[in-house]
């Protein structure tokens, strides 16, 4: 087992493509960490550098207390389960799994024992004598994971391991992979663009965009205290609403005003204080769809209220999703399933004051 430490890691491909920029990240010994971000943000490049399939352009990679930049993949004791299965079609499942152990001249009884063990963990004992062509997608995925795990690596890496599975298999494998980690407490890194996967399995989540690591933390930390507008908008489904506002200070009050005059929001004391401290004239206000309430009349008690018109309403069984136009902005609200709204209806939106997020309009950084 081992801690993995990335220090000022860069990856620049030919043609000056900067896939990873100044990445600093420590994955604790025994931890399950998810590397999460949109497609093309540098996740796979990072994993490939960890495993040794891609040269590190700059920076130091530690596994345990050793710098391993120059070590070959087979000297690192890191195993990667690929997003595509890459199983050898002529070999039985059992021989696919055993392949790398035999290549390292592990004695036959030991090979059999270890193959049997991972097969039991991954529930594939009954298909050990089949060939890859005779397997379904979920089974192939398990074999691919078994082949990586059988090496008993210090660090176990997975790149979008569930991408080829249907929804039911994905849900099942999420539980399985989490259980697997709880059993062996192997340092594990999961790469995914799917926040649900990250949240369901990982202990901490590292959020990347455009080659840059933005934030690392538990889901609660990232969801409740995003460091910037990107993280705030990327984590949470449906995504956070953003409103561009001018800041107007009037005696001890602070008001946020839309440029098009469509709303004015009186800031609750805590937010007002943040805005005063920042001393800026333009901000983005962020509010999640579940932290807005829509009513058919104005609530005079509410300090933070917007007036708008219903654009669309979808009843989705367990909840409703309401899109409301407020001037040139459109906001999404998650409502109770039994509520009904008609297109064009006037509605009032109350913002839950303790759930208002504020970002510097220029830098996107959280105030
Ligand atoms: P992700 O896994 O997050 O989708 P990647 O690490 O695969 O992202 O890619 C990051 C960026 O690097 C992308 O812009 C991608 O096009 C580019 N890239 C990836 N591999 C190569 C390569 N071998 N040569 C040139 N550019 C690459
Ligand atoms: Mg990728």
């Amino acid at each position: 087992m081992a801690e993995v430490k990335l220090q000022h890691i860069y990856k620049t491909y030919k043609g000056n493509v900067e896939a990873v920029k100044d990445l600093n990240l420590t994955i604790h010994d025994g931890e399950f960490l998810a590397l999460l971000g949109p497609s093309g943000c540098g996740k796979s490049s990072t994993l490939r550098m960890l495993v040794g399939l891609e040269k590190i352009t700059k920076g130091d990679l530690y596994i345990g207390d050793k710098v391993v930049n120059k070590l070959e993949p087979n000297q690192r004791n890191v195993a990667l389960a690929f997003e595509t299965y890459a199983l050898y079609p002529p070999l039985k499942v059992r021989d696919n799994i055993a392949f790398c152990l035999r290549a390292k001249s592990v004695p036959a009884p030991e090979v059999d024992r270890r193959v049997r063990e991972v097969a039991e963990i991954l529930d594939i004992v009954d298909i050990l004598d089949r060939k890859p062509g005779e397997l379904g997608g979920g089974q192939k995925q398990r074999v691919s994971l078994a082949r990586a795990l059988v090496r008993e690596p210090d660090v176990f890496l997975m790149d979008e391991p569930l991408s080829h599975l249907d929804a039911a298999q994905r849900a099942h494998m999420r539980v399985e992979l989490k259980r697997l980690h709880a059993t062996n407490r192997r340092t594990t890194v999961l790469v995914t663009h799917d926040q649900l996967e990250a949240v369901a399995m990982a202990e901490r989540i590292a959020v990347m965009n455009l080659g840059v690591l933005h934030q690392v933390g538990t889901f609660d930390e990232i969801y409740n205290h995003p460091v910037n507008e990107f993280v705030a908008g990327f984590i949470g489904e449906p995504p956070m609403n953003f409103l561009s506002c001018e800041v107007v200070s009037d005696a001890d009050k602070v008001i946020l005003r839309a440029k098009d005059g469509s709303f004015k929001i009186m800031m609750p004391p805590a937010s007002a204080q943040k805005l005063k401290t920042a001393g800026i004239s333009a901000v983005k206000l962020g509010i999640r769809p579940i932290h807005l309430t829509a009513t058919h009349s104005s609530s005079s008690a509410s300090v933070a209220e917007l007036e708008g018109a219903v654009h669309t309403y979808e009843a989705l069984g367990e909840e409703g999703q309401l899109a409301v136009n407020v001037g040139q902005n459109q906001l999404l609200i998650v409502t109770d399933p039994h509520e009904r709204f008609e297109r064009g209806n006037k509605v009032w939106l109350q913002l839950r004051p303790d759930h208002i997020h504020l970002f510097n309009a220029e830098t996107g950084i959280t105030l």
Side-chain angles (χ1 to χ4, degrees):
M1 307 276 168
E3 176 185 271
V4 178
K5 197 158 69 184
L6 297 95
Q7 277 189 345
H8 302 292
I9 295 279
Y10 289 78
K11 178 68 205 180
T12 309
Y13 291 107
K14 275 199 201 98
N16 214 19
V17 179
E18 292 186 299
V20 178
K21 290 180 260 189
D22 197 19
L23 177 54
N24 292 286
L25 175 63
T26 300
I27 304 144
H28 306 308
D29 186 8
E31 180 177 37
F32 194 148
L33 180 122
L35 203 50
L36 174 69
S39 182
C41 74
K43 305 181 297 294
S44 295
S45 299
T46 303
L47 269 207
R48 290 167 62 80
M49 288 191 281
L50 290 184
V51 79
L53 291 172
E54 203 68 71
K55 207 170 153 278
I56 295 168
T57 308
K58 207 164 94 182
D60 291 320
L61 170 62
Y62 289 82
I63 297 179
D65 45 21
K66 261 193 328 202
V67 175
V68 300
N69 289 42
K70 297 221 165 77
L71 294 189
E72 293 297 320
N74 59 10
Q75 299 171 311
R76 294 189 188 192
N77 206 17
V78 170
L80 172 62
F82 288 88
E83 64 190 295
T84 46
Y85 318 111
L87 303 174
Y88 307 110
L91 297 186
K92 286 181 183 172
V93 166
R94 124 178 11 261
D95 300 317
N96 261 288
I97 298 172
F99 192 82
C100 68
L101 298 181
R102 293 195 181 123
K104 283 198 282 186
S105 308
V106 176
E110 165 86 2
V111 171
D112 288 346
R113 186 189 63 74
R114 279 163 68 172
V115 170
R116 178 96 204 161
E117 193 176 276
V118 291
E120 272 167 14
I121 290 171
L122 287 158
D123 199 17
I124 50 173
V125 175
D126 55 333
I127 57 168
L128 283 175
D129 290 312
R130 290 204 215 156
K131 291 192 175 162
E134 300 158 3
L135 304 178
Q139 290 170 322
K140 281 190 204 167
Q141 200 87 61
R142 281 156 188 263
V143 176
S144 166
L145 290 167
R147 204 174 49 170
L149 275 176
V150 80
R151 295 168 47 193
E152 301 183 348
D154 290 332
V155 183
F156 182 45
L157 309 175
M158 295 179 278
D159 194 342
E160 313 262 5
L162 312 185
S163 56
H164 296 268
L165 305 182
D166 67 32
Q169 287 172 328
R170 261 210 296 274
H172 179 68
M173 280 306 286
R174 284 203 299 267
V175 176
E176 291 289 292
L177 289 171
K178 195 170 167 168
R179 185 181 57 85
L180 188 65
H181 176 258
T183 311
N184 62 26
R185 294 300 308 177
R186 216 177 280 288
T187 309
T188 301
V189 183
L190 165 80
V191 155
T192 180
H193 65 276
D194 180 348
Q195 54 178 300
L196 177 64
E197 276 179 20
V199 176
M201 291 187 271
E203 293 160 310
R204 284 194 309 156
I205 300 172
V207 184
M208 281 183 84
N209 189 36
L210 301 173
V212 175
L213 176 66
H214 285 255
Q215 190 167 6
V216 190
T218 62
F219 173 75
D220 284 350
E221 285 164 358
I222 291 176
Y223 182 85
N224 294 318
H225 305 286
V227 295
N228 59 31
E229 193 183 334
F230 171 76
V231 176
F234 189 72
I235 301 287
E237 194 42 51
M240 185 182 279
N241 298 295
F242 294 102
L243 295 167
S244 293
C245 308
E246 292 170 339
V247 182
V248 185
S249 292
D250 175 16
D252 56 341
K253 291 181 200 139
V254 178
I255 291 164
L256 296 190
R257 189 170 65 190
K259 286 213 176 73
D260 63 6
S262 59
F263 64 82
K264 275 186 196 166
I265 308 169
M266 172 98 81
M267 284 292 98
S271 301
Q273 194 52 49
K274 275 184 201 162
L275 286 161
K276 279 191 184 150
T277 309
I280 48 177
S281 59
V283 288
K284 275 230 178 123
L285 178 150
I287 185 92
R288 296 192 187 280
I290 57 165
H291 296 143
L292 282 162
T293 311
T295 51
H296 294 284
S297 57
S298 175
S299 152
S300 54
S302 176
V303 286
E305 189 175 64
L306 306 170
E307 187 183 331
V310 173
H311 177 68
T312 53
Y313 179 72
E314 277 182 297
L316 298 174
E318 291 177 339
E319 64 180 43
Q321 284 193 8
L322 174 68
V324 172
N325 291 326
V326 177
Q328 288 159 11
N329 294 287
Q330 191 169 94
L331 289 95
L332 194 69
I333 301 100
V334 171
T335 69
D336 285 342
H338 57 267
E339 293 197 62
R340 286 294 173 267
F341 298 90
E342 301 293 333
R343 190 179 167 87
N345 279 174
K346 237 181 174 191
V347 281
W348 282 262
L349 307 177
Q350 284 87 39
L351 288 71
R352 287 174 50 189
D354 46 337
H355 290 284
I356 290 174
H357 296 262
L358 295 169
F359 307 94
N360 183 312
E362 271 171 39
T363 62
I365 294 172
T366 302
L367 296 191

